[in-house]
Amino acid sequence: MSILANYHTHTPRCMHATGSEESYVETAISQGYKILGFSDHTPWPFPEYESYCRMTAAQLPEYVETVRDLQKRYANNIKIHLGLEAEYAPDYMDWLHDVKKEFQLDYLIFGNHFYNSEESGIYFGSGDPEPWIEAYVEHTIKAMESGLFDYMAHPDLFLSSATAVSEKAEKALHQICKAAVKYNIPLEYNLLGESRRLDGIQKGSNLCGYTTPDFWRIAAQYPIHAIIGCDAHQPKEMCRATRQKQVRTELEQMGISVLDTIPGLD
């Protein structure tokens, strides 16, 4: 029997999420979740650049302390895990490795948001993706090769502002799935992305968005593992238990293996 679990949860430290950590926990419990993982956007030790979308390195100890405290206080109600969502930033990967070890993080999610790093690179989810598709795939494969990450969030994020899935984009989706199989990295069905994409369709948008049927049609051709994530930036975005169950059934009907938990963690 499957259980409800979500490992993709943010906190206000990233400056684009709201709600206390405890409110996410309480909402998750009310929705029937048995496992909740916090994976806020990782800080990076930028020498000068000040981020607009992640905690600072100085905030990391307090983030860890807060989540660990919730683990203890809610141990009888829900299993809570501590993680981070991080990009593949070549100059800082040794630092990320050390942070994972120092703070004994339970897991890392790979979110392929920026080319090289936020301080100098483009955001993969904005504008025409065609010039950057190869770079997106390159970063994806290098991240998977690194052995640091437990799964990949929103693998088709680069389609956010595309108006069609081009031949180059379709090739990229195949490459991502092949790499996921090779390195045994689960791929996330991102419920926040799905919600935003459907919202856009209702409003007349002609953009592909992400968490696209095109990606999962291709993914079904490979022996990948899927994992479903809320990508919650507000406590109410934990209220997706019904949709999560539906997505699980839909993916399984396509022949895709769906994981309840991160392998080796629970």
Side-chain angles (χ1 to χ4, degrees):
M1 181 179 292
S2 64
I3 62 171
L4 276 172
N6 171 60
Y7 294 93
H8 200 163
T9 314
H10 293 279
T11 80
R13 293 173 192 79
C14 71
M15 296 180 281
H16 58 283
T18 59
S20 69
E21 291 85 356
E22 191 157 15
S23 63
Y24 286 90
V25 174
E26 294 280 3
T27 305
I29 292 170
S30 73
Q31 292 293 300
Y33 283 87
K34 302 301 181 185
I35 299 172
L36 178 65
F38 283 95
S39 52
D40 209 1
H41 293 282
T42 190
W44 293 116
F46 298 135
E48 296 180 357
Y49 176 82
E50 186 174 324
S51 176
Y52 63 92
C53 63
R54 63 188 69 246
M55 72 178 86
T56 65
Q59 290 176 296
L60 183 57
E62 189 267 339
Y63 166 69
V64 171
E65 182 181 351
T66 300
V67 176
R68 292 300 187 202
D69 177 62
L70 289 169
Q71 281 181 325
K72 296 172 186 174
R73 291 200 287 118
Y74 284 89
N76 294 329
N77 306 98
I78 191 170
K79 184 175 285 188
I80 297 174
H81 287 297
L82 171 65
L84 288 170
E85 180 182 9
E87 293 79 18
Y88 177 78
D91 292 341
Y92 302 120
M93 296 311 289
D94 288 342
W95 181 88
L96 182 61
H97 179 275
D98 292 344
V99 161
K100 184 178 182 183
K101 184 177 181 181
E102 177 185 354
F103 291 100
Q104 298 182 312
L105 301 180
D106 300 322
Y107 66 102
L108 290 176
I109 295 175
F110 170 51
N112 199 6
H113 301 106
F114 296 98
Y115 180 60
N116 287 334
S117 83
E118 178 196 340
E119 60 191 324
S120 59
I122 61 105
Y123 174 61
F124 284 125
S126 64
D128 178 10
E130 290 295 297
W132 298 100
I133 288 176
E134 291 91 344
Y136 185 88
V137 172
E138 176 191 354
H139 267 36
T140 296
I141 294 173
K142 285 183 176 178
M144 291 179 178
E145 286 175 339
S146 74
L148 266 179
F149 298 101
D150 294 275
Y151 78 75
M152 182 179 184
H154 39 60
D156 53 352
L157 177 74
F158 72 93
L159 292 175
S160 295
S161 297
T163 54
V165 180
S166 67
E167 185 176 334
K168 185 191 289 189
E170 183 147 341
K171 179 182 177 182
L173 298 179
H174 281 280
Q175 289 174 303
I176 290 167
C177 292
K178 288 176 182 177
V181 173
K182 181 177 180 179
Y183 297 105
N184 196 27
I185 299 293
L187 301 176
E188 180 193 69
Y189 190 104
N190 188 283
L191 293 174
L192 177 62
E194 178 188 62
S195 176
R196 289 175 173 174
R197 181 179 61 81
L198 295 176
D199 229 25
I201 291 172
Q202 285 186 340
K203 294 174 181 176
S205 171
N206 67 339
L207 301 181
C208 294
Y210 63 99
T211 314
T212 61
D214 297 276
F215 177 78
W216 293 101
R217 169 181 56 80
I218 289 170
Q221 300 173 37
Y222 297 88
I224 66 151
H225 296 292
I227 192 162
I228 303 169
C230 292
D231 198 357
H233 287 72
Q234 303 174 61
K236 69 179 182 180
E237 290 173 348
M238 289 299 309
C239 298
R240 292 192 168 117
T242 299
R243 180 57 187 149
Q244 186 163 338
K245 292 172 184 176
Q246 291 171 342
V247 168
R248 182 187 184 96
T249 299
E250 291 166 9
L251 293 177
E252 289 177 339
Q253 288 174 345
M254 295 170 69
I256 295 173
S257 167
V258 182
L259 302 176
D260 283 326
T261 60
I262 291 176
L265 186 56
D266 299 290

